Amino acid sequence: MDFQARLEALTHQLRPWSPLWSRSILQGWPESGAVYPEDWLDYCRSLDEAGERRLDQGALTGAPPPALGALLGALQELTALPWQEGLHTLSVAETQGLSAKKTHELERVLALLAPRARFIRQAVDIGGGMGHLARLCARTFGWTFHSIDRDAALQDKGRRWLTRTQPPGEDTLYFIQASVEDGVQPQLDSLFSGRDRASIGLHTCGPLALTQLRKSQGAGFVLNIGCCYDKLELPRDYPVSRFGSGHPLPFTPHALALTTRGRHHKTEVEFARMKRVYAWRFAFHLLSRRHFPERGFVRAGDAPRALYNSPFAAYARDRLERLGLNPGMTDAELNAFEVSARAETRDLLLCHLLRDRFARALEVVLLLDRAILLEEAGFQVELLQLFDPRLSPRNLALIASRSGPTDIERRAPPVGGFRDEAPHDAAFKTRHRYP
C-alpha cells in the first residue's frame, strides 16, 4: 500500500468537514448542529428506525444527498484495509480461563506471527499482563520472551498459572515489572535492539503505542495495535512522521475521542440501548441548560444501566441529586419535558450518527501517520485488519519488519536477557519455564 498517497487522499476528504468532526456536538449545541448541511439533516429526519440503524452501520438508504453519498463512499474506500488471513487454533488447555475475546486475539496474533517472524529469536511484549501471549509464543516458536507490565498483581497471577506444572526445559519466559517510557532505560532498551528481536504491543494505550515504536527502531520486527487514542496529547503525538507533518488535520481532543467510536457492528439490541442512553443524556442536557444556564455544560456522567431503562424522571432525578441541582420539578413535569424535547433530541442523535461516520477515517489517519513514521525509519510496513471488530473493535495492526538477521546474528547464540545483570537487579525479573 502507498501509505503516503492514502494519507493524502484521506486528509483531502476530511479537511473540509473538520467543523463537523473536530468539536463536541452536545457541548456546543445548538451552534454545533448548525454546521451540518440542512439537506443532510432533512434526509436523516426522513429515516425510520431501520434507516437510522443502517446509517449507524455506514450505509445510506433511499435517496441521500449527493454530497453525503459521495463523501461516505470515498471514506469507505479509503479506509478499506486488507485482512490478515488464517487462525492458529489453540487447544482447550491452552485457552483455559481466557475470555472469547482474548482467545480470538491470541489465535489471530499467532497466525500473523508465524510466517513473518521466522528469523526472530527473542521477543518483548509491552503490557504483557499475565503473560499469555509470551507463554504461547515461547512454546510455539521457541522464542525467549520478556513480558513487561507495571501491574505486579497481574504478573503474580501469571506466575501462579505457569507454575502449576514444571516440565523440564530451558528457561525461556521472563516477567519484568516495569513501565516502558520514553528516554533511556538501561534495563529495558537492549530488549528492543537486534534484528532477531520482536517488539509486540497489543492494545497499547494512548501514547504508549508511540513509545513502543520509538523504542523499537533497532528491532527486526514490530507489531503494534493501538487503542485509547483519546489519551494522546496534541500536538506532541500527532503528526509523528515527516510526511504527516506536511499533511496535518486539525485534530482536537474531541476528534481524538471520536476515533475510538468507529464500531459499525451493533446488534439491534445494542443500537436500541444506545438510542435510549443518548435520548436521556440529550434531554438532561437541554433540561440543565434551560434551568441552570449559569453552569454552562453540565456533565451528567455515566449512570447505572437500570436508570436508562427507567422513565426519564428517575434518570434525571438521580443525576440532579448527584450534581446538587434542583429545578423544582415533579416527576410528571420531568417526564413531560422529555416528551416536549424529543424533536430536538432526535436532531442531536442524527448529528451524532452523521459525525460517527468520520470515526474510522480519523483512526486510519493516525495509523497511516505511524506507518509512514516506520517507513521513514527503514522498515517494511503493513497495515492490516486483524481482529473481528464485533469482538475487538480496535482491530488495526501495524506490522513492521527489517531484512532477516545478518550472518553474525545467525551464528550468535540466543541471549537469555539480563544474564549479565548485577546481583541487585535480580528482583527486577522473574523467569519461568513455559508449560
Side-chain angles (χ1 to χ4, degrees):
M1 179 188 298
D2 187 336
F3 295 122
Q4 293 186 0
R6 182 71 65 96
L7 178 61
E8 192 171 10
L10 260 179
T11 56
H12 176 75
Q13 292 290 336
L14 290 168
R15 187 176 290 110
W17 302 104
S18 62
L20 278 67
W21 52 257
S22 65
R23 64 191 300 189
S24 164
I25 296 173
L26 195 59
Q27 293 184 30
W29 190 262
E31 291 79 9
S32 58
V35 302
Y36 287 77
E38 192 60 32
D39 60 337
W40 291 19
L41 290 176
D42 286 341
Y43 163 74
C44 292
R45 291 181 186 119
S46 72
L47 298 175
D48 57 13
E49 180 85 12
E52 289 177 353
R53 186 170 175 228
R54 290 279 290 165
L55 176 60
D56 185 60
Q57 296 169 339
L60 301 175
T61 57
L68 177 61
L71 174 65
L72 295 195
L75 294 182
Q76 288 175 354
E77 180 180 353
L78 291 170
T79 57
L81 297 170
W83 281 89
Q84 160 63 30
E85 301 294 338
L87 196 70
H88 181 99
T89 304
L90 297 172
S91 67
V92 174
E94 290 171 324
T95 60
Q96 183 179 6
L98 300 184
S99 66
K101 175 178 181 290
K102 188 65 175 179
T103 298
H104 170 76
E105 290 175 346
L106 290 172
E107 290 180 332
R108 299 292 289 179
V109 168
L110 290 169
L112 181 148
L113 292 173
R116 289 177 174 84
R118 291 171 179 163
F119 60 90
I120 295 301
R121 297 294 176 265
Q122 296 192 58
V124 58
D125 183 13
I126 298 174
M130 292 176 61
H132 294 303
L133 177 63
R135 165 177 56 88
L136 291 168
C137 285
R139 190 178 73 175
T140 303
F141 306 126
W143 295 349
T144 296
F145 210 116
H146 299 82
S147 180
I148 303 175
D149 203 287
R150 61 184 179 184
D151 190 328
L154 278 180
Q155 291 191 324
D156 285 342
K157 289 180 181 178
R159 293 185 188 99
R160 289 194 296 270
W161 202 100
L162 287 169
T163 53
R164 290 175 186 172
T165 59
Q166 291 290 335
E170 293 295 324
D171 293 329
T172 59
L173 174 53
Y174 296 78
F175 284 98
I176 305 172
Q177 185 190 353
S179 295
V180 177
E181 301 171 353
D182 284 325
V184 177
Q185 292 182 285
Q187 293 174 310
L188 299 180
D189 290 346
S190 63
L191 299 178
F192 297 88
S193 182
R195 294 296 179 92
D196 66 343
R197 310 293 176 93
S199 168
I200 299 175
L202 306 185
H203 301 307
T204 44
C205 186
L208 182 59
L210 296 171
T211 298
Q212 181 198 354
L213 300 186
R214 286 189 285 265
K215 285 278 188 187
S216 306
Q217 295 298 296
F221 181 87
V222 181
L223 170 61
N224 174 263
I225 300 166
C227 69
C228 304
Y229 307 114
D230 53 318
K231 295 183 180 179
L232 297 174
E233 182 179 321
L234 298 168
R236 182 194 67 186
D237 299 329
Y238 170 84
V240 293
S241 68
R242 291 191 299 272
F243 183 86
S245 296
H247 300 78
L249 284 175
F251 266 90
T252 63
H254 296 302
L256 290 175
L258 179 60
T259 63
T260 67
R261 291 167 57 181
R263 181 186 179 192
H264 308 311
H265 298 274
K266 301 182 188 72
T267 65
E268 287 188 26
V269 172
E270 289 171 335
F271 182 70
R273 184 185 304 127
M274 181 200 75
K275 286 187 63 175
R276 170 57 73 93
V277 169
Y278 275 180
W280 274 194
R281 285 182 174 177
F282 297 162
F284 183 83
H285 170 70
L286 299 178
L287 176 73
S288 62
R289 194 182 68 185
R290 174 180 294 183
H291 289 272
F292 310 102
E294 72 284 356
R295 295 289 296 266
F297 178 70
V298 176
R299 295 186 181 277
D302 292 329
R305 178 175 292 188
L307 285 177
Y308 295 114
N309 295 327
S310 303
F312 174 72
Y315 167 83
R317 189 75 65 197
D318 178 88
R319 300 293 90 185
L320 289 165
E321 291 176 358
R322 187 183 67 87
L323 294 165
L325 300 175
N326 183 6
M329 300 171 69
T330 65
D331 284 1
E333 289 171 330
L334 288 170
N335 286 328
F337 175 84
E338 185 275 322
V339 173
S340 71
R342 283 182 182 174
E344 190 169 2
T345 56
R346 183 164 189 254
D347 275 357
L348 273 160
L349 168 69
L350 298 176
C351 286
H352 272 272
L353 293 180
L354 288 169
R355 183 173 181 264
D356 283 353
R357 306 286 60 77
F358 297 98
R360 186 65 158 187
L362 292 169
E363 179 184 10
V364 171
V365 164
L366 293 178
L367 296 180
L368 288 172
D369 180 43
R370 297 176 186 183
I372 295 169
L373 173 70
L374 290 167
E375 283 189 331
E376 291 172 347
F379 286 95
Q380 299 174 9
V381 185
E382 301 172 85
L383 179 58
L384 302 177
Q385 298 189 73
L386 182 57
F387 305 137
D388 184 337
R390 292 170 294 185
L391 289 173
S392 191
R394 304 278 68 77
N395 73 331
L396 299 182
L398 271 175
I399 305 110
S401 59
R402 298 188 185 275
S403 58
T406 65
D407 289 340
I408 293 175
E409 288 170 326
R410 288 190 186 97
R411 290 195 300 268
V415 180
F418 299 103
R419 302 289 188 184
D420 298 324
E421 290 171 349
H424 70 273
D425 288 328
F428 186 65
K429 64 180 178 62
T430 307
R431 63 191 183 189
H432 289 276
R433 300 180 178 91
Y434 55 84

